[in-house]
Amino acid sequence: MRDVGSDKDEDEMTDKHMTTVSQHYFVDESDKSSFSIAIIENMKEEYGLFVWPCSVILAEYVWQQRYRFSGANVVELGAGTSLPGLVAAKVGSNVTLTDDSNRIEVLKNMRRVCEINKLNSFDDLFATITYLLQSSPGSVFITTYHNRSGHHLIEFLMVKWGLKCVKLVDGFSFLPHYKARELNGNIQLAEIVLNHESPEETSTSTVR
């Protein structure tokens, strides 16, 4: 007699071995914007856990129409692996992902792909920045960031949250040589304000 528990363990092991992470790239050479989306999927082509061709096509459409989606409210129905919704979030949409509430494994996977693509942190950060600037009129948010593939995501999020960049400089342009030689990469410094403010209004503001 075969133990039922051992059958379940073997099935879980098989599912684990069939799981992979696929990378999906979105690039526009004309404006040098690009990013990639990592998707955890099951190669058994199981509904809700596999990136279907229709999903790839819809995600590409969202990418090519990204200025239309920037700042829009988007609900992806039957999101599954959520590729189109994740692309929409990357280009600045406020996205809600949905699927069958009985498919717990699918919902868990949706949360995981959001985490590995770091979609929650940037949006929460810009929401906090907006709140603080609204609470302290005339203030300026000053930040540095490593410009990999996130520059255009930051631009989209600024539009979404009603912010604008009034100063953007190369981080190495004012760094002493002896400090610069210890570092590497493309690092930008940005000064960000609420969109209704002008640079003149913020030139004498106190940074808080």
Side-chain angles (χ1 to χ4, degrees):
M1 177 180 291
R2 187 173 179 85
D3 181 46
V4 175
S6 64
D7 286 340
K8 183 179 179 181
D9 290 342
E10 286 187 11
D11 288 342
E12 290 178 353
M13 287 296 293
T14 300
D15 288 344
K16 185 176 181 181
H17 288 310
M18 293 293 291
T19 299
T20 187
V21 177
S22 57
Q23 292 286 341
H24 303 264
Y25 297 92
F26 300 87
V27 180
D28 187 340
E29 295 293 344
S30 64
D31 62 6
K32 298 182 180 179
S33 59
S34 66
F35 59 79
S36 65
I37 298 288
I39 298 292
I40 304 169
E41 59 177 319
N42 193 311
M43 300 311 293
K44 289 168 61 177
E45 299 189 5
E46 184 178 350
Y47 282 104
L49 294 172
F50 181 77
V51 180
W52 298 93
C54 288
S55 180
V56 174
I57 292 172
L58 182 55
E60 181 62 29
Y61 180 78
V62 173
W63 165 244
Q64 293 189 15
Q65 298 285 321
R66 56 192 177 278
Y67 294 104
R68 172 184 175 188
F69 282 89
S70 177
N73 294 320
V74 173
V75 178
E76 185 177 1
L77 303 177
T81 52
S82 310
L83 181 59
L86 295 177
V87 173
K90 282 282 192 181
V91 301
S93 298
N94 181 23
V95 178
T96 301
L97 303 174
T98 70
D99 212 298
D100 185 350
S101 61
N102 296 314
R103 300 291 304 279
I104 302 300
E105 70 282 7
V106 174
L107 299 180
K108 286 183 178 179
N109 195 59
M110 289 164 62
R111 294 189 188 97
R112 289 174 66 197
V113 295
C114 287
E115 290 171 359
I116 65 174
N117 288 287
K118 300 179 180 179
L119 285 169
N120 296 324
S121 58
F122 265 122
D123 214 32
D124 292 344
L125 172 63
F126 275 79
T128 303
I129 294 167
T130 301
Y131 172 77
L132 292 173
L133 292 178
Q134 289 174 340
S135 301
S136 303
S139 295
V140 182
F141 173 68
I142 301 178
T143 185
T144 55
Y145 65 94
H146 201 145
N147 188 6
R148 299 183 183 90
S149 61
H151 179 71
H152 287 271
L153 170 60
I154 291 172
E155 288 181 344
F156 283 122
L157 287 174
M158 283 196 295
V159 172
K160 175 181 177 180
W161 289 103
L163 304 171
K164 67 177 179 180
C165 180
V166 293
K167 187 174 185 179
L168 182 66
V169 298
D170 181 350
F172 290 95
S173 65
F174 57 86
L175 204 63
H177 176 70
Y178 71 92
K179 291 184 178 180
R181 67 187 180 191
E182 304 281 335
L183 306 173
N184 58 68
N186 182 4
I187 300 173
Q188 305 290 316
L189 182 142
E191 295 193 12
I192 296 172
V193 300
L194 292 175
N195 195 31
H196 62 73
E197 295 181 298
S198 67
E200 290 76 20
E201 289 173 331
T202 60
S203 60
T204 59
S205 300
T206 302
V207 178
R208 303 173 186 178

